[in-house]
Amino acid sequence: MDKFTTLSGIAAPLHLVNVDTDMIIPKQYLKTIKRTGLGTGLFSELRYKDDGSDNPDFVLNKPSYKGASILVAGDNFGCGSSREHAPWALLDFGIRCVISTSFADIFYNNCFKNGILPIVVTPEQLAALFDDAERGANARVTVDLESQTISGPDGGTISFEIDPFRKHCLLNGLDDIGLTQVKADKIATYESKLAEERPWA
């Protein structure tokens, strides 16, 4: 998993509440267990017209939001089913950070396990971030995980809270497998000792 330290990029405003995981990545894209290639299906029912062409009215299709790496969204983002394909699709598209006032618990947890930083802010802070995001490529937003701050293009700064353990994992690029590998020496020592004490096991 890639480390998350500081992210500076274009923030795309998604003025929708209760965005569920089926909206993030529709069910027809769930046939794969690969984490790559799902970016094309991200928000597909909003991004594409019935004939498969791009919908120019959808925010991520607008020229000023090409290459956006931060998503500013409405309340209760990631609700619905528990599909881990949702953060996979966001990451594959290039989104490394999602900011909202609230997230569904399973989606929130899945983000951390896949190197995406979900940030919870107040309604007032979200309104200010929406205002920044509306400026498109003319205004970059910087997220600093170490200092737990979001900096807007005009110099304003918002502080956010995050669980210390989750912060540690993101800063060091540790998913569940990585956390296990960190303890590889201790595991090897235990297994060696166990083999001596219980050779029949």
Side-chain angles (χ1 to χ4, degrees):
M1 183 172 89
D2 291 338
K3 296 179 181 180
F4 190 111
T5 52
T6 302
L7 174 65
S8 181
I10 299 169
L14 186 64
H15 290 280
L16 294 172
V17 299
N18 301 320
V19 172
D20 63 24
T21 52
D22 188 57
M23 185 181 294
I24 297 172
I25 184 72
K27 58 185 180 297
Q28 61 266 30
Y29 294 94
L30 306 186
K31 298 175 183 178
T32 180
I33 56 171
K34 295 181 180 179
R35 300 187 182 198
T36 57
L38 289 169
T40 56
L42 181 71
F43 297 118
S44 65
E45 294 180 358
L46 299 172
R47 281 172 63 198
Y48 307 120
K49 294 181 178 181
D50 291 340
D51 62 4
S53 62
D54 287 352
N55 173 9
D57 295 326
F58 184 62
V59 61
L60 294 177
N61 287 336
K62 295 181 178 180
S64 56
Y65 294 106
K66 291 291 184 182
S69 56
I70 301 168
L71 190 64
V72 182
D75 307 340
N76 196 31
F77 190 86
C79 56
S81 69
S82 60
R83 66 190 69 171
E84 195 169 2
H85 293 70
W88 292 353
L90 286 164
L91 193 61
D92 192 59
F93 185 82
I95 302 294
R96 291 293 313 273
C97 178
V98 183
I99 306 172
S100 180
T101 56
S102 58
F103 294 90
D105 287 343
I106 295 176
F107 174 82
Y108 185 77
N109 292 329
N110 282 339
C111 281
F112 286 105
K113 293 180 179 181
N114 289 282
I116 296 175
L117 174 60
I119 299 176
V120 177
V121 295
T122 67
E124 293 76 21
Q125 291 169 334
L126 187 70
L129 289 167
F130 268 134
D131 182 63
D132 288 338
E134 290 293 345
R135 306 184 211 177
N138 294 320
R140 297 178 73 84
V141 173
T142 300
V143 177
D144 188 321
L145 179 55
E146 183 63 51
S147 64
Q148 297 177 207
T149 57
I150 306 168
S151 301
D154 297 327
T157 301
I158 292 172
S159 297
F160 62 89
E161 297 297 321
I162 184 173
D163 175 80
F165 176 71
R166 286 173 166 162
K167 177 180 179 179
H168 168 78
C169 290
L170 279 179
L171 286 172
N172 293 281
L174 298 173
D175 56 12
D176 289 346
I177 295 173
L179 284 169
T180 302
Q181 291 175 333
V182 168
K183 299 179 180 179
D185 291 343
K186 291 183 178 180
I187 293 171
T189 299
Y190 171 78
E191 290 180 341
S192 178
K193 182 180 179 181
L194 188 66
E196 292 176 2
E197 296 176 349
R198 302 178 183 179
W200 63 87

